């Protein structure tokens, strides 16, 4: 049992963010970085970055010191393993749900078979509504559209999901029910979208504080949480709407990061990220304009003009429209030999 003096000799876990607390908890349990990455559904390099931040905030020397601190502050109890039922950020969620790619759920560090695709779509609809109950009618509309199935398929799917997601040591289900509908237990479930938005918000805060390098890095961590097309393969209007929204969210984050990269002189990095996005979204004019800016700053004026020509053809062939003012202004700037201002591009794209 740690002494009072030992506990007050250095900062406690309250100095950490929720995810840093979770990483420290897992480190205290003796998990390696790869295991922590799987448990938390984050990239492995993000775990290493969180560990560095933990060491700096708590004034610790190395990983071994972090393990000792996890025991000293009571995050992990000797002889009893990790504390999974405590309140607040020290309690690590039992279930991790990832929607920023094909839907997957990780229960206590192990991936779960979520069953048929429409059953998965029911879980996705609940995961994307973390702050409210979702009615049976909403689930029917969101997963089946106008072609509702016969029978009580929603309660059946919820029953099956409760069964595969349940905690062996607790009677209460991961999916609760009240008079308004079904909802996930926020104390037991963590969804990757929430972490992505936390990182994006932190990036905005870093920008407002004038730390563009930190803003760029945090935005990169948010983008790393995407594992391909969000909710890939899931049917229904709810999944399709969420997919479109999350794809646009990823595009917006990519543009923000590229804008910061350009302001910091990281032209090649900006070109790489924007080129990949422009291939996925050739009709996205703000992306094309920002890519033209990055190419021009990187000394590739002819390539910048080629981006405009490809976008012009795509817009004409697929939408029957001409380039908008943003693209036209970017082209004029390239032809005049001027650098396209990334700040103006970002403002116009907002």
């Amino acid at each position: 049992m740690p002494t009072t003096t030992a506990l007050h000799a250095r900062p406690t876990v309250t100095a950490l963010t929720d995810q840093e607390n979770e990483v420290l908890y897992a480190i205290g349990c003796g998990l390696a970085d790869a295991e922590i990455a799987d448990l938390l559904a984050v990239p492995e390099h993000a775990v290493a970055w969180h560990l560095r931040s933990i060491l700096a905030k708590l004034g610790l020397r190395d990983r071994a010191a972090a393990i000792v601190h996890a025991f000293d502050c009571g995050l992990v109890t000797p002889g009893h393993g990790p504390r999974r039922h405590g309140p607040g950020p020290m309690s690590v969620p039992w279930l991790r749900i990832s929607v920023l790619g094909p839907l997957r759920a990780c229960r206590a560090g192990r991936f779960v078979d979520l069953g048929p695709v429409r059953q998965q779509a029911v879980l996705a609809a609940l995961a994307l509504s973390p702050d409210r109950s979702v009615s049976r009618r909403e689930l029917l509309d969101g997963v089946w559209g106008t072609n509702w199935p016969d029978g009580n398929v929603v309660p059946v799917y919820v029953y099956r999901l409760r069964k595969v997601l349940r905690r062996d040591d607790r009677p209460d289900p991961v999916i609760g029910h009240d008079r308004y509908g079904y909802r996930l237990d926020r104390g037991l479930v963590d969804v990757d979208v929430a972490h992505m938005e936390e990182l994006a918000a932190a990036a905005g805060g870093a920008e407002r504080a004038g730390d563009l390098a930190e803003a760029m890095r945090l935005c990169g961590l948010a983008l790393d949480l995407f594992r391909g097309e969000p909710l890939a393969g899931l049917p229904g209007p709810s999944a399709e709407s969420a997919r479109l929204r999350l794809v646009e969210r990823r595009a917006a984050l990519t543009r923000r990061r590229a804008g910061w990269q350009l302001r910091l002189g990281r032209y090649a990095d900006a070109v790489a990220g924007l080129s990949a996005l422009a291939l996925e979204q050739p009709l996205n004019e703000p992306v094309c304009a920002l890519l033209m800016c990055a190419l021009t700053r990187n000394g590739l004026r002819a390539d910048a003009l080629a981006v405009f020509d490809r976008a012009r053809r795509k817009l004409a062939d697929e939408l029957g429209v001409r380039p908008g003012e943003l693209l036209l202004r970017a082209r004029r700037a390239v032809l005049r030999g001027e650098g396209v201002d990334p700040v103006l591009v970002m403002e116009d794209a907002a």
Side-chain angles (χ1 to χ4, degrees):
M1 184 73 181
T3 65
T4 303
T5 302
L7 283 175
H8 288 284
R10 55 188 174 220
T12 68
V13 292
T14 56
L16 307 179
T17 66
D18 285 356
Q19 189 152 72
E20 287 168 348
N21 268 314
E22 293 171 355
V23 171
L24 179 59
Y25 161 91
I27 289 171
C29 294
L31 299 184
D33 284 5
E35 295 172 309
I36 298 172
D38 283 341
L39 178 65
L40 303 185
V42 299
E44 189 171 340
H45 69 80
V47 176
W49 174 79
H50 282 307
L51 176 56
R52 289 195 297 272
S53 178
I54 290 166
L55 297 179
K57 286 183 177 181
L58 300 182
L60 302 173
R61 184 179 63 257
D62 52 24
R63 190 186 195 93
I67 294 173
V68 172
H69 188 86
F71 280 90
D72 281 352
C73 68
L75 189 60
V76 179
T77 305
H80 296 85
R83 183 181 295 170
R84 290 193 179 275
H85 307 311
M90 289 187 188
S91 179
V92 172
W94 167 252
L95 181 69
R96 300 274 173 182
I97 297 178
S98 176
V99 301
L100 299 176
L103 181 72
R104 68 182 187 186
C106 185
R107 184 187 64 184
R110 296 184 179 182
F111 290 108
V112 178
D113 181 357
L114 296 172
V117 290
R118 292 197 187 273
Q119 183 171 298
Q120 294 181 40
V122 168
L123 179 61
L126 297 176
L128 290 165
S129 303
D131 299 317
R132 66 181 185 88
S133 297
V134 184
S135 70
R136 179 179 169 186
R137 183 188 180 99
E138 282 183 274
L139 290 171
L140 287 167
D141 287 339
V143 176
W144 285 272
T146 57
N147 299 314
W148 286 15
D150 296 329
N152 294 320
V153 66
V154 169
V156 169
Y157 279 172
V158 170
Y159 169 78
R160 291 177 182 172
L161 288 168
R162 282 172 171 166
K163 192 172 181 180
V164 298
L165 300 177
R166 72 182 180 90
R167 298 185 59 162
D168 296 332
D169 57 345
R170 291 185 64 168
D172 49 317
V174 169
I175 301 176
H177 183 263
D178 57 27
R179 64 193 180 107
Y180 301 106
Y182 301 98
R183 68 187 304 162
L184 292 174
D185 186 333
R186 294 192 64 184
L188 300 177
V189 182
D190 190 38
V191 183
D192 59 354
V193 170
H195 288 305
M196 181 267 290
E197 293 297 354
E198 286 172 3
L199 287 165
E207 180 191 30
R208 290 189 293 274
D211 191 347
L212 295 186
E214 177 69 358
M216 182 180 67
R217 189 185 59 76
L218 290 168
C219 194
L221 290 174
L223 286 166
D224 284 342
L225 293 177
F226 287 88
R227 300 175 293 104
E229 182 182 54
L231 300 173
L234 288 195
S238 177
E240 180 60 23
S241 174
R243 188 158 38 242
L244 293 173
R245 176 175 57 81
L246 292 170
V247 165
E248 176 51 36
R249 188 70 176 118
R250 180 164 64 93
L253 289 173
T254 300
R255 293 198 304 267
R256 287 181 71 189
R257 182 178 62 172
W260 293 327
Q261 287 169 333
L262 291 173
R263 291 165 66 183
L264 290 171
R266 303 276 294 273
Y267 304 140
D269 291 339
V271 168
L274 291 167
S275 294
L277 184 58
L279 286 175
E280 295 177 19
Q281 303 182 19
L283 300 176
N284 191 321
E285 294 188 60
V287 170
C288 293
L290 202 54
L291 177 56
M292 292 172 66
C293 171
L295 289 166
T296 303
R297 296 286 183 90
N298 211 30
L300 301 171
R301 181 170 173 267
D303 290 344
L305 293 173
V307 168
F308 175 85
D309 289 337
R310 284 196 300 271
R312 177 180 55 78
R313 288 194 299 270
K314 278 281 187 182
L315 290 166
D317 294 344
E318 298 188 22
L319 301 180
V321 299
R322 294 169 55 83
E325 180 57 31
L326 182 61
L327 265 182
L328 292 172
R329 187 169 46 182
R331 180 175 181 270
R332 288 194 295 269
V334 174
L335 289 173
R336 289 196 300 263
E338 300 173 356
V340 184
D341 187 347
V343 175
L344 292 179
V345 174
M346 298 303 295
E347 288 176 352
D348 282 355

